[in-house]
Amino acid sequence: MNPPTSTTEATTSSASPQPSLPADLPALTATNSIATPDTAPLAAQLAALQQAKDAPANTSLVKTVLQRAFSLLGTPYRWGGNSPDSGFDCSGLVGYVFRTIGIDLPRVSRAMADEGTKVASRDALAEGDLVFFGRRGHIDHVGIYIGEGKFLHAPRTGRDVTVSSLTSGYWAQKYLEARRLATGG
């Protein structure tokens, strides 16, 4: 018998088993794979697919929050109120709207300001974010950001649930911070 003339012949004519990988190596997945020129696009595609999969739910929740909030426009202000039948104060309104999508918030605005994640600046606000107002750094009012520099809230006795500007006027001067809940935005 003649010796093999090429490495291909040597590989195909050899009966020896292929070397195995050590058992303690982790399985390769999109999150722990080594990025090479041909796998990097795959990892990016998988990440984009995950974001797209999550986005409709978050977008849908925000739309639901805004629809429910807008349906309450014109409801009378009532201190301590937390239902459409009896009227709303600011935190009662916000709590009611978010309860309808399964998010329970504390009863008072200053406690609501500890929920979710802080929004870096007014420029970073997204629809559905909670916006907080007050004096001397003490939160005493909350509303729901609706986009385009406006928010929906129950302002005070004698006024109904309404939309106000966050960029000019009284509320612009009283703005303190914003928080984003699990609705995305």
Side-chain angles (χ1 to χ4, degrees), residues 113 115-121 176-180:
E115 300 294 315
T117 57
K118 190 169 187 168
V119 177
S121 70
L176 294 177
E177 67 178 83
R179 306 291 284 192
R180 184 161 298 147

Side-chain angles (χ1 to χ4, degrees), residues 2-10:
N2 294 331
T5 56
S6 73
T7 56
T8 305
E9 250 182 81

